[in-house]
Amino acid sequence: MNANTITEEKRALRKELNHKLSNLSLDRQEVSDRVWQNLKNLPQLVDAITIGAYIDFRTELPTRYFIPSLFNLAEKPRRIAVPYCVDHNLDFYYLDPPKVDAEKAEPRFLDLTPQAYGILEPSEQTRALPERFAPPYAFDAILVPGLAFTPDGERLGRGAGYYDRFLTRLRPNVPLIGLAYDEQILPRVPTDVHDRRVDVVVTATRVYYP
């Protein structure tokens, strides 16, 4: 299959998936809680001290509800870092543990502010502190978003290539953990040589080990 055909396949599938995800009728927090029940026991995560995570945006599988739990996973302190988009690349910065609103059970990330498109990213003040920068070699595991995954770890991103570029900067063999709604698991997605597979995919009902 030539590159143009793959590109067209990706474009069509992204359009289809964006429409499908925009029309899902789900309790996002409930789904997030169920994903966490599967995620928290993964050896790849339990053994990790420095973890890269994303802050969910629009139709992405919600992470914000369980990120507070990541900080003390298995009763061990962790370092959690989230991305900031700069010059078509991702840099990661360490978070402080968020404040959790007991009434709403929703965390408040005091070191994040809305950036382009309303995406929550590390604030200017956070990025100004050298000690908050998380270099790629520091990570022990990365939670990876995507538009679709296959059971054997293939991933379709949103098309900008931010994560594919960032993942090439990690140490070899750092576990890549895809997070998805069950509706995002497909038997096949179009891929090319630049697309990175993930090592495990976690949904609310399944854990897929390629």
Side-chain angles (χ1 to χ4, degrees):
M1 187 178 296
N2 64 48
N4 289 337
T5 301
I6 292 173
T7 299
E8 287 303 315
E9 271 198 44
K10 286 183 174 183
R11 184 178 293 116
L13 185 54
R14 287 187 178 111
K15 183 177 180 180
E16 176 186 333
L17 286 164
N18 279 318
H19 177 76
K20 178 180 180 180
L21 293 171
S22 296
N23 287 280
L24 282 182
S25 180
L26 296 170
D27 184 321
R28 287 166 54 82
Q29 184 167 351
E30 180 183 346
V31 173
S32 181
D33 290 345
R34 291 169 63 192
V35 168
W36 173 245
Q37 294 308 308
N38 287 332
L39 185 64
K40 68 181 183 180
N41 296 315
L42 285 184
Q44 297 95 327
L45 201 61
V46 170
D47 294 337
I49 300 301
T50 299
I51 300 168
Y54 66 92
I55 303 293
D56 57 278
F57 179 64
R58 291 182 179 168
T59 59
E60 290 177 331
L61 188 287
T63 57
R64 67 186 68 201
Y65 301 112
F66 61 69
I67 281 179
S69 300
L70 273 177
F71 277 91
N72 287 291
L73 177 65
E75 299 182 354
K76 295 179 183 178
R78 314 287 167 157
R79 302 191 76 182
I80 311 302
V82 298
Y84 176 76
C85 180
V86 55
D87 296 333
H88 304 290
N89 289 296
L90 297 179
D91 284 336
F92 278 68
Y93 293 85
Y94 294 115
L95 284 179
D96 285 333
K99 306 293 183 182
V100 179
D101 186 316
E103 184 175 329
K104 296 182 179 179
E106 187 162 331
R108 292 187 299 121
F109 297 91
L110 302 181
D111 38 12
L112 302 180
T113 56
Q115 306 285 344
Y117 307 106
I119 300 172
L120 282 178
E121 293 185 295
S123 66
E124 184 177 354
Q125 293 88 338
T126 299
R127 289 181 279 115
L129 299 171
E131 66 271 19
R132 300 294 288 275
F133 177 71
Y137 63 77
F139 289 101
D140 301 309
I142 302 284
L143 304 182
V144 183
L147 264 180
F149 296 90
T150 67
D152 62 354
E154 291 180 341
R155 170 183 175 270
L156 178 71
R158 293 185 177 270
Y162 291 111
Y163 269 88
D164 289 315
R165 287 189 291 274
F166 174 74
L167 296 176
T168 64
R169 299 161 61 194
L170 300 175
R171 288 181 289 110
N173 303 319
V174 170
L176 309 181
I177 302 168
L179 303 181
Y181 292 104
D182 287 296
E183 291 80 0
Q184 291 175 278
I185 304 301
L186 303 178
R188 174 190 170 275
V189 297
T191 60
D192 57 39
V193 294
H194 302 292
D195 294 320
R196 289 288 302 273
R197 287 176 177 258
V198 296
D199 300 290
V200 58
V201 183
V202 180
T203 75
T205 64
R206 293 281 303 272
V207 177
Y208 297 91
Y209 288 100

